[in-house]
Amino acid sequence: MTGPTRLAERFGTPSYLYDLDRVAAARDDLFATLPDGIEVFYAAKANPHPELLRELRSGGARGCRAEISSVGELYAVLQAGFPGAEILYTGPGKTTEELTEALTRGVRLFSTESPGDLARVGEAARALGLTADCLLRVNNATGAAATSIRMTGVPSQFGFDSETLPGLAAELREVPGTRIAGLHFFPLSNAKDEASLIAEFRHTIATAAALQQALGVTFRLVDIGGGFAAPYAVQGERPVYDELRDALAGTLDEHFPGWRSGAPRIACESGRYLVADSGTLLTSVVNVKDSRDTRYLVLDAGINTFGGMSGLGRILPVSVEPHESLGADGTPAHLAGPLCTPGDLLGRGVPLPGLAPGALLTVPNAGAYGPTASLLMFLGRPAPAEIVVRGDDLVSVSRIEHIRTYEHGQAL
Ligand SMILES: *Cc1c(COP(=O)(O)O)cnc(C)c1O
């Protein structure tokens, strides 16, 4: 029995429930949405749970590679079976120590953000007698007109400014310990619709082709980014992209005629689309409180468990599904977590039937940006249990633990 009520009784709340069948379905859907031969890097930051990682890698030629941005993520993906050759290391603050560790563990592909970053990758590689394949991340001066979340065209810690990149070509081609493998774009997250996604990809591909000319380098890999959307903590379905496959293939044929035979390889990236709908958050009502004209439902899950990034001032439009109703008075309630900060709110004015302490609620589409994107350590509560099922079969139950380690206890 893997229903939420049974699992909550058995393993307690707050807890996460992930279904590997849904991870596999999302992975298969994404590959089916893309032209054959396009690679997919899974952004481990969306959810680095080992069983989810393993599921995303499986699928043979239609399995994901891994995109990571820390040594912690490096160990997670290695343990899940991704060899170094399937890993892309990205991020604006790569230190020599972590680069050395990644290279030692077999990672050869790095996204670089600036001349200084490229030089540091080269130094780390050279010290080990290696050459690192480097993508130049591009902060495009322009975007497709239609898109919503704009991450490029403005000053940023991410990427080389596209307008000045060609002028750096000679310098970048000669950085010891590195070889320019191609470009990396990530202009868009959670695209509002298919038209925006296609428009942004088209724009990215045209920019990549122009930069290949300007840089005088034959690209071996172009990572055109992502933007595949998924509902987050609200009811809804992953979008279906009917037109993307043909649109992408056509645009690639136009700008990179050799791409079908891997010259260059084309990759894209995804986090939320692949894992969001595999996850459900299970939380119990601890207390019901009326204050002035507002009802508060105090839950055992707060920003330490979910949506921690909302602790930075962004309230999610969380929706919850009650699993029992004790009289339906329909009073909208603020969903508060258990933490001693007024910022611990998961939702405002959420319509709910009358609920008593002990009632179970579930938050749908919570598989991406869950525990590891939350304020896990704040207020010292245990991390939520993470329950993994495959359909009706229980696969594992685990919990992240933080342990303080002392290095110089005696010497102090
Ligand atoms: C976060 C991130 C992703 C994943 O974004 P989603 O919106 O979850 O798909 C992919 N690529 C890069 C570079 C990222 O920083």
Side-chain angles (χ1 to χ4, degrees), residues 107-126:
V107 180
R108 293 292 178 272
L109 182 62
F110 297 84
S111 169
T112 59
E113 315 266 3
S114 62
D117 189 33
L118 184 67
R120 181 173 292 126
V121 174
E123 280 161 26
R126 256 186 355 143

Side-chain angles (χ1 to χ4, degrees), residues 7 19 100 113 130 135 159 162 169 186 209 211 227 249 269 277 296 316 343 356 365 376 388-389:
L7 292 171
D19 187 344
T100 302
E113 315 266 3
L130 299 170
L135 301 177
S162 60
F186 192 68
L211 284 171
E269 305 178 351
D277 79 357
Y296 285 85
L316 296 165
N365 293 312
L376 271 184
V388 179
V389 300

Side-chain angles (χ1 to χ4, degrees), residues 336-355:
L339 305 186
C340 293
T341 163
D344 192 14
L345 273 188
L346 290 185
R348 282 185 208 276
V350 180
L352 281 168
L355 293 168

Side-chain angles (χ1 to χ4, degrees), residues 195-280:
S196 323
L197 193 61
I198 290 174
E200 196 64 42
F201 276 136
R202 284 204 165 117
H203 186 67
T204 294
I205 292 164
T207 304
L211 284 171
Q212 174 169 250
Q213 286 265 265
L215 286 165
V217 177
T218 302
F219 293 157
R220 286 170 291 133
L221 174 64
V222 179
D223 178 342
I224 59 176
F228 309 101
Y232 187 48
V234 291
Q235 263 91 9
E237 304 277 320
R238 263 188 292 115
V240 175
Y241 299 121
D242 287 325
E243 325 234 309
L244 182 63
R245 193 180 154 93
D246 289 346
L248 261 183
T251 308
L252 287 167
D253 285 340
E254 187 184 331
H255 293 285
F256 290 101
W259 77 276
R260 288 176 191 268
S261 47
R265 289 159 47 203
I266 305 294
C268 55
E269 305 178 351
S270 175
R272 69 188 70 227
Y273 182 92
L274 289 165
V275 292
D277 79 357
S278 75
T280 307

Side-chain angles (χ1 to χ4, degrees), residues 43 45-46 67 137 184 186 189-190 228 269-272 369:
K45 78 163 186 263
E67 182 192 334
R137 182 161 171 176
H184 174 204
F186 192 68
S189 192
N190 208 18
F228 309 101
E269 305 178 351
S270 175
R272 69 188 70 227
Y369 304 109

